[in-house]
Short mmCIF file of all heavy atoms in Angstrom, two decimals:
data_model
loop_
_atom_site.label_atom_id
_atom_site.label_comp_id
_atom_site.label_asym_id
_atom_site.label_seq_id
_atom_site.Cartn_x
_atom_site.Cartn_y
_atom_site.Cartn_z
N VAL H 551 -8.75 -15.95 86.18
CA VAL H 551 -8.81 -15.27 84.81
C VAL H 551 -8.97 -13.87 84.95
O VAL H 551 -10.00 -13.41 85.48
CB VAL H 551 -9.65 -16.02 83.81
CG1 VAL H 551 -9.67 -15.33 82.40
CG2 VAL H 551 -9.48 -17.45 83.81
N ILE H 552 -8.01 -13.02 84.50
CA ILE H 552 -7.98 -11.59 84.72
C ILE H 552 -8.45 -10.83 83.51
O ILE H 552 -7.85 -10.97 82.44
CB ILE H 552 -6.59 -11.19 85.10
CG1 ILE H 552 -6.19 -11.91 86.36
CG2 ILE H 552 -6.44 -9.65 85.40
CD1 ILE H 552 -4.56 -11.89 86.54
N PRO H 553 -9.54 -9.97 83.61
CA PRO H 553 -9.83 -9.22 82.55
C PRO H 553 -8.91 -7.90 82.41
O PRO H 553 -8.69 -7.18 83.35
CB PRO H 553 -11.37 -8.76 82.81
CG PRO H 553 -11.70 -9.38 84.11
CD PRO H 553 -10.40 -9.81 84.80
N ILE H 554 -8.46 -7.79 81.18
CA ILE H 554 -7.66 -6.57 80.88
C ILE H 554 -8.37 -5.70 79.81
O ILE H 554 -8.56 -6.39 78.67
CB ILE H 554 -6.16 -6.90 80.54
CG1 ILE H 554 -5.53 -7.84 81.59
CG2 ILE H 554 -5.34 -5.79 80.12
CD1 ILE H 554 -4.22 -8.42 81.22
N ILE H 555 -8.71 -4.44 80.10
CA ILE H 555 -9.44 -3.64 79.19
C ILE H 555 -8.37 -2.77 78.44
O ILE H 555 -7.67 -2.03 79.05
CB ILE H 555 -10.45 -2.79 79.87
CG1 ILE H 555 -11.35 -3.63 80.72
CG2 ILE H 555 -11.21 -2.01 78.81
CD1 ILE H 555 -12.22 -2.77 81.66
N PHE H 556 -8.31 -3.01 77.17
CA PHE H 556 -7.25 -2.21 76.46
C PHE H 556 -8.19 -1.10 75.76
O PHE H 556 -9.16 -1.38 75.03
CB PHE H 556 -6.71 -2.97 75.31
CG PHE H 556 -5.89 -2.01 74.37
CD1 PHE H 556 -4.86 -1.20 74.78
CD2 PHE H 556 -6.29 -1.90 73.00
CE1 PHE H 556 -4.23 -0.45 73.92
CE2 PHE H 556 -5.72 -1.03 72.13
CZ PHE H 556 -4.62 -0.24 72.65
N ILE H 557 -7.79 0.15 75.95
CA ILE H 557 -8.46 1.28 75.38
C ILE H 557 -7.66 2.02 74.46
O ILE H 557 -6.50 2.55 74.59
CB ILE H 557 -8.91 2.20 76.56
CG1 ILE H 557 -9.59 1.65 77.65
CG2 ILE H 557 -9.66 3.52 76.04
CD1 ILE H 557 -9.00 1.56 78.96
N HIS H 558 -8.19 2.21 73.10
CA HIS H 558 -7.50 2.90 72.08
C HIS H 558 -7.64 4.35 72.25
O HIS H 558 -8.74 4.81 72.85
CB HIS H 558 -8.09 2.47 70.78
CG HIS H 558 -7.79 1.07 70.32
ND1 HIS H 558 -6.91 0.87 69.30
CD2 HIS H 558 -8.35 0.05 70.62
CE1 HIS H 558 -6.90 -0.46 69.17
NE2 HIS H 558 -7.84 -0.98 69.90
N PRO H 559 -6.74 5.09 71.84
CA PRO H 559 -6.78 6.51 71.91
C PRO H 559 -7.77 7.07 70.81
O PRO H 559 -7.99 6.32 69.88
CB PRO H 559 -5.26 7.12 71.57
CG PRO H 559 -4.72 5.96 70.83
CD PRO H 559 -5.30 4.63 71.32
N PHE H 560 -8.28 8.16 71.18
CA PHE H 560 -9.19 8.87 70.10
C PHE H 560 -8.56 9.10 68.95
O PHE H 560 -7.28 9.48 68.89
CB PHE H 560 -9.99 10.04 70.72
CG PHE H 560 -9.10 11.37 70.78
CD1 PHE H 560 -8.94 12.21 69.67
CD2 PHE H 560 -8.52 11.72 72.05
CE1 PHE H 560 -8.17 13.35 69.70
CE2 PHE H 560 -7.81 12.97 72.09
CZ PHE H 560 -7.53 13.73 70.99
N SER H 561 -9.20 9.02 67.70
CA SER H 561 -8.46 9.19 66.49
C SER H 561 -8.71 10.66 66.01
O SER H 561 -7.66 11.24 65.47
CB SER H 561 -8.98 8.25 65.38
OG SER H 561 -10.31 8.20 65.23
N LYS H 562 -9.84 11.13 66.03
CA LYS H 562 -9.97 12.46 65.48
C LYS H 562 -10.42 13.50 66.49
O LYS H 562 -9.83 14.62 66.51
CB LYS H 562 -11.13 12.40 64.45
CG LYS H 562 -11.18 13.64 63.56
CD LYS H 562 -12.15 13.49 62.27
CE LYS H 562 -12.10 14.69 61.53
NZ LYS H 562 -13.20 14.83 60.56
N TYR H 563 -11.44 13.18 67.32
CA TYR H 563 -11.81 14.15 68.37
C TYR H 563 -11.74 13.46 69.85
O TYR H 563 -12.17 12.27 69.96
CB TYR H 563 -13.38 14.65 68.04
CG TYR H 563 -13.51 15.18 66.75
CD1 TYR H 563 -14.35 14.47 65.84
CD2 TYR H 563 -13.05 16.33 66.43
CE1 TYR H 563 -14.45 14.95 64.57
CE2 TYR H 563 -13.21 16.93 65.19
CZ TYR H 563 -14.05 16.13 64.30
OH TYR H 563 -14.29 16.73 62.95
N PRO H 564 -11.60 14.25 70.84
CA PRO H 564 -11.48 13.88 72.14
C PRO H 564 -12.99 13.46 72.59
O PRO H 564 -13.84 14.08 71.89
CB PRO H 564 -10.92 14.95 73.04
CG PRO H 564 -11.04 16.14 72.18
CD PRO H 564 -11.06 15.75 70.84
N TYR H 565 -13.22 12.50 73.49
CA TYR H 565 -14.56 12.17 73.94
C TYR H 565 -14.99 13.00 75.07
O TYR H 565 -14.31 13.37 76.00
CB TYR H 565 -14.45 10.73 74.40
CG TYR H 565 -13.99 9.79 73.34
CD1 TYR H 565 -12.82 9.18 73.32
CD2 TYR H 565 -14.89 9.43 72.26
CE1 TYR H 565 -12.37 8.38 72.26
CE2 TYR H 565 -14.42 8.55 71.23
CZ TYR H 565 -13.26 8.02 71.28
OH TYR H 565 -12.72 7.22 70.37
N PHE H 566 -16.32 13.49 74.90
CA PHE H 566 -16.95 14.10 75.94
C PHE H 566 -18.08 13.45 76.49
O PHE H 566 -18.78 12.68 75.83
CB PHE H 566 -17.53 15.56 75.31
CG PHE H 566 -16.49 16.61 74.99
CD1 PHE H 566 -15.86 16.54 73.80
CD2 PHE H 566 -16.16 17.53 75.90
CE1 PHE H 566 -14.82 17.50 73.47
CE2 PHE H 566 -15.29 18.54 75.67
CZ PHE H 566 -14.51 18.46 74.38
N SER H 567 -18.21 13.52 77.94
CA SER H 567 -19.35 12.73 78.49
C SER H 567 -20.73 13.32 78.23
O SER H 567 -20.83 14.60 77.95
CB SER H 567 -19.15 12.69 80.02
OG SER H 567 -18.96 13.99 80.34
N SER H 568 -21.76 12.44 78.02
CA SER H 568 -23.12 12.95 77.80
C SER H 568 -23.69 13.07 79.21
O SER H 568 -23.10 13.01 80.25
CB SER H 568 -23.93 11.85 77.03
OG SER H 568 -23.99 10.57 77.84
N GLY H 569 -25.07 13.36 79.19
CA GLY H 569 -25.71 13.62 80.44
C GLY H 569 -26.37 12.34 81.01
O GLY H 569 -27.07 12.32 81.93
N LYS H 570 -26.06 11.15 80.44
CA LYS H 570 -26.75 9.92 80.92
C LYS H 570 -26.46 9.58 82.32
O LYS H 570 -27.36 9.31 82.96
CB LYS H 570 -26.23 8.79 79.94
CG LYS H 570 -26.99 7.54 80.36
CD LYS H 570 -26.54 6.33 79.42
CE LYS H 570 -27.27 5.02 79.91
NZ LYS H 570 -26.92 3.90 79.14
N ALA H 571 -25.25 9.75 82.90
CA ALA H 571 -24.85 9.46 84.12
C ALA H 571 -25.72 10.29 85.19
O ALA H 571 -26.14 9.92 86.21
CB ALA H 571 -23.40 9.48 84.41
N GLN H 572 -25.76 11.61 84.65
CA GLN H 572 -26.50 12.53 85.44
C GLN H 572 -27.95 12.18 85.70
O GLN H 572 -28.57 12.23 86.77
CB GLN H 572 -26.38 13.95 84.94
CG GLN H 572 -26.30 15.13 85.82
CD GLN H 572 -25.44 16.29 85.23
OE1 GLN H 572 -24.35 16.05 84.77
NE2 GLN H 572 -26.05 17.48 85.20
N SER H 573 -28.55 11.67 84.58
CA SER H 573 -30.01 11.29 84.57
C SER H 573 -30.27 10.03 85.36
O SER H 573 -31.31 9.89 85.94
CB SER H 573 -30.37 11.07 83.19
OG SER H 573 -29.92 9.89 82.64
N LYS H 574 -29.13 9.28 85.82
CA LYS H 574 -29.25 8.13 86.56
C LYS H 574 -28.75 8.38 88.06
O LYS H 574 -28.68 7.52 88.81
CB LYS H 574 -28.40 6.95 85.98
CG LYS H 574 -28.72 6.64 84.64
CD LYS H 574 -29.77 5.47 84.58
CE LYS H 574 -29.97 5.02 83.06
NZ LYS H 574 -31.00 4.06 83.06
N GLY H 575 -28.53 9.71 88.27
CA GLY H 575 -28.02 10.01 89.74
C GLY H 575 -26.64 9.97 89.96
O GLY H 575 -26.12 10.02 91.06
N PHE H 576 -25.86 9.89 88.85
CA PHE H 576 -24.27 9.78 89.07
C PHE H 576 -23.56 11.01 88.55
O PHE H 576 -22.44 10.93 88.22
CB PHE H 576 -23.87 8.54 88.43
CG PHE H 576 -24.18 7.19 89.01
CD1 PHE H 576 -25.16 6.40 88.41
CD2 PHE H 576 -23.77 6.82 90.24
CE1 PHE H 576 -25.65 5.20 89.06
CE2 PHE H 576 -24.16 5.57 90.83
CZ PHE H 576 -25.14 4.95 90.25
N GLY H 577 -24.29 12.15 88.58
CA GLY H 577 -23.65 13.25 87.94
C GLY H 577 -22.39 13.83 88.75
O GLY H 577 -21.39 14.28 88.13
N ARG H 578 -22.27 13.33 90.02
CA ARG H 578 -21.14 13.77 90.67
C ARG H 578 -19.84 13.00 90.20
O ARG H 578 -18.75 13.42 90.53
CB ARG H 578 -21.28 13.69 92.12
CG ARG H 578 -21.35 12.16 92.67
CD ARG H 578 -21.68 11.95 94.16
NE ARG H 578 -21.62 10.68 94.57
CZ ARG H 578 -22.40 9.64 94.08
NH1 ARG H 578 -23.34 9.86 93.27
NH2 ARG H 578 -22.18 8.32 94.53
N ILE H 579 -20.05 11.89 89.70
CA ILE H 579 -19.01 11.03 89.20
C ILE H 579 -18.63 11.34 87.62
O ILE H 579 -17.50 11.43 87.38
CB ILE H 579 -19.26 9.50 89.27
CG1 ILE H 579 -19.60 9.08 90.79
CG2 ILE H 579 -18.27 8.73 88.72
CD1 ILE H 579 -20.22 7.72 91.02
N LEU H 580 -19.68 11.41 86.85
CA LEU H 580 -19.46 11.58 85.40
C LEU H 580 -20.28 12.88 85.03
O LEU H 580 -21.61 12.63 84.83
CB LEU H 580 -19.82 10.36 84.71
CG LEU H 580 -19.44 10.27 83.21
CD1 LEU H 580 -17.83 10.26 83.12
CD2 LEU H 580 -20.04 9.00 82.59
N LYS H 581 -19.75 14.07 85.01
CA LYS H 581 -20.51 15.28 84.71
C LYS H 581 -20.79 15.39 83.18
O LYS H 581 -20.00 14.88 82.41
CB LYS H 581 -19.73 16.51 85.15
CG LYS H 581 -19.48 16.61 86.71
CD LYS H 581 -18.73 17.66 87.13
CE LYS H 581 -18.66 17.82 88.48
NZ LYS H 581 -17.98 16.70 89.21
N GLU H 582 -21.87 15.96 82.87
CA GLU H 582 -22.24 16.20 81.53
C GLU H 582 -21.30 17.13 80.75
O GLU H 582 -20.78 18.03 81.37
CB GLU H 582 -23.75 16.72 81.47
CG GLU H 582 -24.23 16.77 80.03
CD GLU H 582 -25.77 17.15 79.95
OE1 GLU H 582 -26.27 17.47 81.07
OE2 GLU H 582 -26.29 17.15 78.92
N ASN H 583 -21.04 16.93 79.47
CA ASN H 583 -20.15 17.80 78.61
C ASN H 583 -18.76 17.88 79.19
O ASN H 583 -18.17 18.92 79.08
CB ASN H 583 -20.84 19.12 78.31
CG ASN H 583 -21.97 18.83 77.32
OD1 ASN H 583 -21.91 18.06 76.44
ND2 ASN H 583 -23.05 19.72 77.52
N SER H 584 -18.34 16.98 79.86
CA SER H 584 -16.97 17.09 80.44
C SER H 584 -15.91 16.26 79.71
O SER H 584 -16.20 15.23 79.09
CB SER H 584 -16.96 16.66 81.91
OG SER H 584 -17.78 17.55 82.63
N LEU H 585 -14.75 16.69 79.82
CA LEU H 585 -13.60 16.10 79.10
C LEU H 585 -12.71 15.53 80.10
O LEU H 585 -12.17 16.20 80.98
CB LEU H 585 -12.80 17.08 78.34
CG LEU H 585 -11.63 16.69 77.52
CD1 LEU H 585 -12.16 15.93 76.21
CD2 LEU H 585 -10.86 17.94 77.04
N TYR H 586 -12.59 14.14 80.21
CA TYR H 586 -11.73 13.42 81.23
C TYR H 586 -10.56 13.04 80.54
O TYR H 586 -10.47 12.68 79.42
CB TYR H 586 -12.52 12.32 81.85
CG TYR H 586 -13.87 12.69 82.60
CD1 TYR H 586 -15.04 12.86 82.08
CD2 TYR H 586 -13.52 13.11 84.01
CE1 TYR H 586 -16.14 13.22 82.85
CE2 TYR H 586 -14.64 13.54 84.70
CZ TYR H 586 -15.80 13.63 84.20
OH TYR H 586 -16.94 14.08 84.89
N TYR H 587 -9.43 13.10 81.50
CA TYR H 587 -8.10 12.54 81.00
C TYR H 587 -7.42 11.86 82.08
O TYR H 587 -7.74 12.03 83.33
CB TYR H 587 -7.33 13.68 80.24
CG TYR H 587 -7.10 14.87 81.18
CD1 TYR H 587 -6.10 14.94 82.10
CD2 TYR H 587 -8.04 16.02 81.03
CE1 TYR H 587 -5.95 16.11 82.87
CE2 TYR H 587 -7.74 17.12 81.76
CZ TYR H 587 -6.78 17.16 82.71
OH TYR H 587 -6.66 18.26 83.46
N SER H 588 -6.50 10.99 81.71
CA SER H 588 -5.70 10.23 82.80
C SER H 588 -4.99 11.18 83.81
O SER H 588 -4.31 12.18 83.34
CB SER H 588 -4.74 9.35 82.02
OG SER H 588 -3.88 8.63 83.04
N ASP H 589 -5.09 10.75 85.01
CA ASP H 589 -4.44 11.58 86.20
C ASP H 589 -3.00 11.65 85.89
O ASP H 589 -2.35 12.47 86.34
CB ASP H 589 -4.67 10.93 87.52
CG ASP H 589 -6.21 10.96 87.79
OD1 ASP H 589 -6.89 11.75 87.30
OD2 ASP H 589 -6.63 10.11 88.73
N PHE H 590 -2.35 10.69 85.20
CA PHE H 590 -0.89 10.73 85.01
C PHE H 590 -0.37 11.59 84.07
O PHE H 590 0.82 11.86 83.98
CB PHE H 590 -0.53 9.18 84.72
CG PHE H 590 -0.84 8.22 85.84
CD1 PHE H 590 -1.95 7.32 85.62
CD2 PHE H 590 -0.01 8.11 86.92
CE1 PHE H 590 -2.27 6.42 86.57
CE2 PHE H 590 -0.33 7.11 87.88
CZ PHE H 590 -1.32 6.40 87.77
N VAL H 591 -1.22 11.99 83.18
CA VAL H 591 -0.88 12.98 82.01
C VAL H 591 -0.66 14.34 82.62
O VAL H 591 -1.57 14.91 83.31
CB VAL H 591 -1.84 12.83 80.83
CG1 VAL H 591 -1.31 13.89 79.70
CG2 VAL H 591 -1.82 11.51 80.30
N GLU H 592 0.41 15.05 82.34
CA GLU H 592 0.53 16.49 82.85
C GLU H 592 -0.56 17.29 82.23
O GLU H 592 -0.65 17.40 80.99
CB GLU H 592 2.01 16.94 82.36
CG GLU H 592 2.39 18.36 82.78
CD GLU H 592 2.15 18.55 84.30
OE1 GLU H 592 2.75 17.80 84.99
OE2 GLU H 592 1.42 19.46 84.72
N SER H 593 -1.39 17.86 83.06
CA SER H 593 -2.62 18.50 82.48
C SER H 593 -2.27 19.75 81.73
O SER H 593 -2.90 20.04 80.77
CB SER H 593 -3.46 18.95 83.68
OG SER H 593 -2.84 19.83 84.47
N SER H 594 -1.09 20.46 81.97
CA SER H 594 -0.79 21.60 81.11
C SER H 594 -0.49 21.15 79.70
O SER H 594 -0.84 21.93 78.78
CB SER H 594 0.35 22.40 81.72
OG SER H 594 1.42 21.50 81.85
N ILE H 595 0.26 20.02 79.65
CA ILE H 595 0.54 19.59 78.20
C ILE H 595 -0.79 19.24 77.43
O ILE H 595 -1.04 19.65 76.28
CB ILE H 595 1.42 18.38 78.30
CG1 ILE H 595 2.77 18.68 78.84
CG2 ILE H 595 1.59 17.66 76.81
CD1 ILE H 595 3.61 17.41 79.18
N LEU H 596 -1.68 18.60 78.17
CA LEU H 596 -2.89 18.14 77.56
C LEU H 596 -3.79 19.52 77.21
O LEU H 596 -4.43 19.61 76.09
CB LEU H 596 -3.66 17.35 78.56
CG LEU H 596 -4.53 16.27 77.89
CD1 LEU H 596 -3.64 15.26 77.19
CD2 LEU H 596 -5.27 15.47 79.05
N LYS H 597 -3.73 20.46 78.03
CA LYS H 597 -4.56 21.69 77.87
C LYS H 597 -3.95 22.43 76.62
O LYS H 597 -4.69 22.85 75.70
CB LYS H 597 -4.57 22.58 79.03
CG LYS H 597 -5.45 22.08 80.16
CD LYS H 597 -5.33 23.04 81.37
CE LYS H 597 -6.24 22.53 82.46
NZ LYS H 597 -5.59 22.84 83.84
N GLU H 598 -2.71 22.41 76.37
CA GLU H 598 -2.17 23.01 75.17
C GLU H 598 -2.73 22.31 73.94
O GLU H 598 -3.01 22.83 72.89
CB GLU H 598 -0.59 22.96 75.30
CG GLU H 598 -0.01 24.23 75.88
CD GLU H 598 -0.58 25.46 75.30
OE1 GLU H 598 -0.67 25.82 74.17
OE2 GLU H 598 -1.08 26.19 76.23
N ARG H 599 -2.58 20.95 74.06
CA ARG H 599 -2.99 20.06 72.79
C ARG H 599 -4.40 20.40 72.58
O ARG H 599 -4.78 20.45 71.42
CB ARG H 599 -2.83 18.56 73.28
CG ARG H 599 -2.91 17.64 72.10
CD ARG H 599 -2.88 16.20 72.42
NE ARG H 599 -1.70 15.65 73.24
CZ ARG H 599 -1.54 14.68 73.87
NH1 ARG H 599 -2.60 13.78 74.00
NH2 ARG H 599 -0.58 14.34 74.54
N TYR H 600 -5.32 20.54 73.55
CA TYR H 600 -6.70 20.74 73.20
C TYR H 600 -6.94 22.15 72.74
O TYR H 600 -7.77 22.49 71.87
CB TYR H 600 -7.57 20.38 74.46
CG TYR H 600 -7.63 18.87 74.70
CD1 TYR H 600 -7.35 18.28 75.91
CD2 TYR H 600 -8.14 18.21 73.58
CE1 TYR H 600 -7.44 16.99 76.06
CE2 TYR H 600 -8.10 16.73 73.84
CZ TYR H 600 -7.82 16.20 74.93
OH TYR H 600 -7.91 14.89 75.17
N LYS H 601 -6.14 23.11 73.30
CA LYS H 601 -6.14 24.58 72.82
C LYS H 601 -5.93 24.41 71.23
O LYS H 601 -6.50 25.27 70.63
CB LYS H 601 -5.22 25.38 73.56
CG LYS H 601 -5.72 25.89 74.85
CD LYS H 601 -4.79 26.89 75.45
CE LYS H 601 -5.26 27.29 76.93
NZ LYS H 601 -4.21 28.21 77.56
N ARG H 602 -4.83 23.86 70.81
CA ARG H 602 -4.52 23.81 69.52
C ARG H 602 -5.58 23.11 68.63
O ARG H 602 -5.81 23.53 67.53
CB ARG H 602 -3.09 23.07 69.24
CG ARG H 602 -1.86 23.81 69.76
CD ARG H 602 -0.64 23.28 69.21
NE ARG H 602 -0.40 21.89 69.58
CZ ARG H 602 0.20 21.46 70.60
NH1 ARG H 602 0.66 22.36 71.46
NH2 ARG H 602 0.48 20.14 70.92
N TRP H 603 -6.06 21.95 69.22
CA TRP H 603 -7.23 21.38 68.55
C TRP H 603 -8.34 22.21 68.37
O TRP H 603 -8.87 22.15 67.29
CB TRP H 603 -7.60 20.00 69.33
CG TRP H 603 -8.75 19.27 68.81
CD1 TRP H 603 -8.75 18.46 67.66
CD2 TRP H 603 -10.03 19.37 69.36
NE1 TRP H 603 -10.15 18.13 67.56
CE2 TRP H 603 -10.92 18.57 68.48
CE3 TRP H 603 -10.66 19.98 70.39
CZ2 TRP H 603 -12.29 18.39 68.71
CZ3 TRP H 603 -12.04 19.77 70.60
CH2 TRP H 603 -12.67 18.95 69.74
N ILE H 604 -8.80 22.78 69.42
CA ILE H 604 -9.98 23.70 69.33
C ILE H 604 -9.70 24.92 68.34
O ILE H 604 -10.55 25.20 67.55
CB ILE H 604 -10.36 24.34 70.70
CG1 ILE H 604 -10.94 23.13 71.53
CG2 ILE H 604 -11.44 25.47 70.62
CD1 ILE H 604 -10.99 23.39 73.06
N ALA H 605 -8.43 25.52 68.31
CA ALA H 605 -8.01 26.52 67.51
C ALA H 605 -8.27 26.08 65.93
O ALA H 605 -8.66 26.80 65.12
CB ALA H 605 -6.70 27.11 67.75
N LYS H 606 -7.71 24.91 65.69
CA LYS H 606 -7.65 24.33 64.45
C LYS H 606 -9.11 24.02 63.93
O LYS H 606 -9.51 24.40 62.89
CB LYS H 606 -6.94 22.96 64.48
CG LYS H 606 -6.53 22.42 63.05
CD LYS H 606 -5.78 21.08 63.08
CE LYS H 606 -6.94 20.03 63.24
NZ LYS H 606 -6.28 18.65 63.59
N GLU H 607 -9.91 23.55 64.90
CA GLU H 607 -11.37 23.25 64.54
C GLU H 607 -12.09 24.49 64.23
O GLU H 607 -13.02 24.63 63.42
CB GLU H 607 -11.99 22.51 65.73
CG GLU H 607 -11.53 21.05 65.91
CD GLU H 607 -11.87 20.24 64.61
OE1 GLU H 607 -12.96 20.10 64.06
OE2 GLU H 607 -10.97 19.60 63.95
N SER H 608 -11.87 25.55 64.96
CA SER H 608 -12.56 26.79 64.75
C SER H 608 -11.94 27.65 63.58
O SER H 608 -12.44 28.68 63.28
CB SER H 608 -12.80 27.53 65.98
OG SER H 608 -11.41 27.89 66.55
#
Side-chain angles (χ1 to χ4, degrees):
V551 181
I552 301 160
I554 301 174
I555 306 162
F556 168 66
I557 303 116
H558 288 261
F560 73 85
S561 58
K562 196 171 181 195
Y563 303 111
Y565 299 106
F566 288 85
S567 54
S568 69
K570 183 179 177 183
Q572 216 150 306
S573 71
K574 302 269 185 185
F576 292 107
R578 70 188 189 288
I579 300 171
L580 196 65
K581 294 178 176 64
E582 188 170 4
N583 287 327
S584 294
L585 183 70
Y586 292 94
Y587 51 85
S588 172
D589 297 339
F590 295 101
V591 176
E592 181 53 56
S593 60
S594 59
I595 295 169
L596 215 62
K597 282 176 188 151
E598 269 316 301
R599 195 187 300 167
Y600 289 124
K601 277 183 183 176
R602 285 199 302 274
W603 172 76
I604 290 165
K606 192 182 85 190
E607 286 301 304
S608 58

